[in-house]
Amino acid sequence: MAESLNILVTGTSRGIGASIRAALARHNIVGHSTRGRDGEVAADFSDIAQVTALWWEAMGRLGGHIDVLINNAGMFEETPIEQGDDGWLAGWEKTMQVNLTASAALSRLAVLHFREKGGGRIVNVASRAAYRGDSPRHWHYAASKAGMIGMTKTIARGYAAENILAFAVCPGFTMTGMAEDYLDSRGGAKLLADIPLGRVASAEEVAETVRWLAIDAPPSATGAVIDVNGASFVR
Ligand SMILES: NC(=O)c1ccc[n+]([C@@H]2O[C@H](COP(=O)([O-])OP(=O)(O)OC[C@H]3O[C@@H](n4cnc5c(N)ncnc54)[C@H](OP(=O)(O)O)[C@@H]3O)[C@@H](O)[C@H]2O)c1
């Protein structure tokens, strides 16, 4: 059997992150959530100092050696353009900070560490919204996920020669709390008519894709972005 790897996964308290943790259970995982229950490291990504502290806490728990970083934590909050200037800007900044800047800060620390130790992998959980856009109340969400894709490709191209690989997954609707809220807010079952597969993805399907990229994907696939959306958006 292949060796156990040291892996930091963000947002493991529920949804897709909990399934990623389960899919990688044979490895040494440090999980994370906002409040840090069940042994997860606590870090609120709206505070960049807590993001940096998460990396060093994970390094400590994993004996100073991380092989894989999985940026999964994310938020999906409405910011309608009709609200006041300050409220709109605050909503934009918070989503960009939590979804993109935190992932970038962790990726930077990971690349610096991977350089020292001779390689490593980053898997970013982005979204179909990166390519397709999102609702008028979610400009920031789509922009943050598109930013993740640009970052992933930049890391892949910039550091492949140092055995540092980067991948992204773009889930469509995925059956977690977040997706249920979203489906309800968009008319529920009618949305399913837009998905040729006839159903939303399961968290386990997304997690298996992340697991494969983190562990098994061939190095030549670095920079790849895999869609998991039932062919609701093909590109
Ligand atoms: N579900 C979908 O339909 C879907 C579709 C496309 C992409 N995605 C992406 O997949 C990833 C996981 O989504 P999910 O549906 O599994 O989400 P979820 O069930 O809402 O879980 C979100 C995770 O992120 C953490 N998180 C939320 N706000 C945070 C903050 N301010 N600081 C640090 N951590 C925070 C949560 O921790 P707490 O439990 O402590 O709040 C939780 O562990 C996200 O990046 C999301 O954008 C989801």
Side-chain angles (χ1 to χ4, degrees):
M1 189 181 278
E3 59 173 334
S4 286
L5 300 178
N6 289 353
I7 304 178
L8 169 59
V9 189
T10 66
T12 50
S13 52
R14 50 198 165 93
I16 292 168
S19 293
I20 292 171
R21 182 173 201 151
L24 290 166
R26 63 169 293 273
H27 296 277
N28 308 314
I29 308 281
V30 168
H32 146 270
S33 64
T34 312
R35 284 171 297 276
R37 285 167 299 208
D38 300 328
E40 293 154 348
V41 180
D44 185 339
F45 286 2
S46 54
D47 173 4
I48 197 71
Q50 294 187 35
V51 178
T52 308
L54 164 63
W55 173 263
W56 293 112
E57 174 66 22
M59 282 279 278
R61 291 190 188 190
L62 292 168
H65 177 105
I66 292 176
D67 300 298
V68 179
L69 165 67
I70 299 174
N71 286 308
N72 165 76
M75 56 178 285
F76 184 76
E77 275 178 16
E78 293 188 1
T79 300
I81 58 169
E82 293 79 12
Q83 73 184 88
D85 295 355
D86 290 350
W88 182 83
L89 191 59
W92 172 275
E93 298 282 18
K94 185 175 177 198
T95 288
M96 295 303 274
Q97 164 82 29
V98 170
N99 288 4
L100 181 58
T101 309
S103 300
L106 288 173
S107 296
R108 171 180 168 268
L109 291 167
V111 167
L112 291 170
H113 174 60
F114 294 162
R115 274 182 151 168
E116 292 276 309
K117 74 176 202 64
R121 291 186 182 216
I122 297 172
V123 183
N124 289 318
V125 180
S127 170
R128 181 182 75 163
Y131 291 99
R132 184 181 183 264
D134 212 293
S135 88
R137 297 182 301 277
H138 295 97
W139 294 19
H140 49 9
Y141 182 80
S144 71
K145 296 302 188 177
M148 256 188 152
I149 299 300
M151 180 177 79
T152 304
K153 293 182 177 187
T154 301
I155 294 169
R157 288 177 53 76
Y159 308 101
E162 295 173 271
N163 197 30
I164 297 170
L165 312 179
F167 308 90
V169 179
C170 284
F173 298 124
T174 304
M175 201 43 84
T176 65
M178 194 157 87
E180 279 156 16
D181 292 348
Y182 189 75
L183 287 172
D184 285 349
S185 73
R186 291 298 207 83
K190 275 188 231 151
L191 265 185
L192 297 179
D194 236 8
I195 307 175
L197 192 63
R199 63 173 177 81
V200 300
S202 69
E204 290 73 21
E205 287 177 297
V206 178
E208 170 53 18
T209 309
V210 170
R211 187 208 61 76
W212 182 75
L213 291 171
I215 308 295
D216 291 331
S220 290
T222 192
V225 181
I226 298 190
D227 295 334
V228 185
N229 67 34
S232 60
F233 189 74
V234 288
R235 62 188 168 87

